[in-house]
Every structure is written in structure tokens, then in C-alpha cells.
Amino acid sequence: MTRTGGFQDDDFWTEFHDFLFSEQRHEQAEELLDTSPLLAFPERSRVLDLCCGPGVFTVPLARRGHRVTGVDLSPAMLDRARKRSADAGAEVTYVRADAREYEAPGGFDVVLNMFTSFGYFEDPADNARMLRTMHTCLAPGGTLVLDLAGKELLARRVTPPKVVRRGDDLMVQTDTVLDEWARLRSEWVLVRGERVTRATLTWFVYSAVELRRMAEEAGFGRVEVFGGFDGHPYDESAERLVLRAVREA
């Protein structure tokens, strides 16, 4: 049995890659970019994909003519993203950096943070710092799109354990609520033949009200919250928590 160190450990991203970033997820990103009003950006926009992973959104955005920079801390994910870009003939700038510390003041028209890539830091002040980094990286009038599983949605899904199969591989995810719903702990067990890999992940979860307040405290204006990429309200039918906010002049 092996155990990974979680979000900060490259072994985690490598071992669980196929469950986190299936081809279906790449296809979903392509569909969202074709159909979502929240992801319809002006031509040749300068886009920062913060926590870009293996390029799920980075590559198709570049193929659509945007000037894209992908930032991630994981060398393994950046290697996969670079390969995917090369295979697609997409020109992307990739940077290995901590999402709290990446600096490009006013350098982008759009900042994306997708698929619940927010809330990973152990100190909640660091999650707020990451939002301030997003604000700083935007030019005046630029737009942040932040997508995650909101606390209200997780309350419907936290039990029972989830079982996912990919070919002959089996992954079981068991979630536990911590600190009166401030955080969530996930125990992941991956069975691949006779090999068993375990990971424990703990992150902060946010309601729509909490995330809106954090965005406003980071300096954003015109903060809107949606229940999906089609722009429908964040209500009992919500599928995601999608926040769109503007850096005002």
C-alpha cells in the first residue's frame, strides 16, 4: 500500500490523474467553452488559467485564439499540459508557481479558476490571499470566473461514499465534514490490480454568501453568483457554484 501527501504532493496528481482528469472532463470543457455565456470572452483575450492542471481549459482556450497563460504548482501536471498543447498545436505560456504568489499585475483580461481548485490551503488567510492575487492579475475591467462545489451542494452529496470505476481501476471516496462545515476531509482509496493507494485531502468549503464576501473583501466589484455555466440562479437546482466578478477601475 502507498500513501500520497495530498494536494501538495505530485504523486497524488499522478496516481489519481485518470479519475480527476478523464477524457470526458476534457470534452466537457470544450462543450462549456462553446455554449456557456459565462465563458464567452472577447477575441484575443489575455487569459490566466490559475491552477491549470493538465490544461483542461488552457488548451481549448488557446485553440480559440486567446492568449493564455497556465499556472500550476505541480511539475507533473504542467508536463501533461505542455504535451497536450503541443499535440493540439496550441501556443500557451506555462508557469510553475504558487497560486498565492504569482505576480502579473494588470496582465490579464480574464482569470479562471475551475473545477474546485480553491480552498486548498491550510490557513484560510491564504485562500483569501489567492483571491487578492487574482484581483491583482486582472486589468481594470477584467473578469474573474471561479467555479467550485459550493457548501450548499456538498451538503446534498457528502454521503454515501462514492465509488468510481475507470476500466479495471476502482476508486472509493469517503467525505467527512469538519469544523461545523468550515472544511471537508476526503479519504480516497484507489485499487489498481493488487496495488492500493490512499490519499487524505482536507480543504475549506464555501457557501455562496461566504465566497461573495471574500471576493468583495479582495477588492472585486459587480460580484455575481450562478448555479451553473448556463448562468441560471444559484438556487435549489444549482449544479455548481460559479462566481463572476469584475476588477473595477
Side-chain angles (χ1 to χ4, degrees), residues 40 48 134 164:
L48 170 60
M134 298 175 188
V164 182

Side-chain angles (χ1 to χ4, degrees), residues 101-105 133 136-137:
E101 300 172 357
Y102 178 71
E103 294 185 357
T133 294
T136 299
C137 286

Side-chain angles (χ1 to χ4, degrees), residues 158-195:
V158 73
T159 55
K162 303 172 187 65
V163 179
V164 182
R165 186 178 294 276
R166 291 273 187 272
D168 294 331
D169 299 340
L170 184 72
M171 197 272 284
V172 180
Q173 176 184 342
T174 305
D175 296 329
T176 304
V177 174
L178 302 176
D179 305 333
E180 300 174 336
W181 269 106
R183 297 184 300 156
L184 201 68
R185 181 178 65 232
S186 285
E187 303 283 348
W188 290 21
V189 179
L190 173 61
V191 181
R192 185 172 278 144
E194 296 183 357
R195 182 180 180 185

Side-chain angles (χ1 to χ4, degrees), residues 138-159:
L138 282 169
T143 300
L144 165 68
V145 178
L146 194 160
D147 155 58
L148 48 74
K151 188 181 296 185
E152 300 88 347
L153 307 180
L154 291 167
R156 303 200 306 249
R157 304 174 185 170
V158 73
T159 55

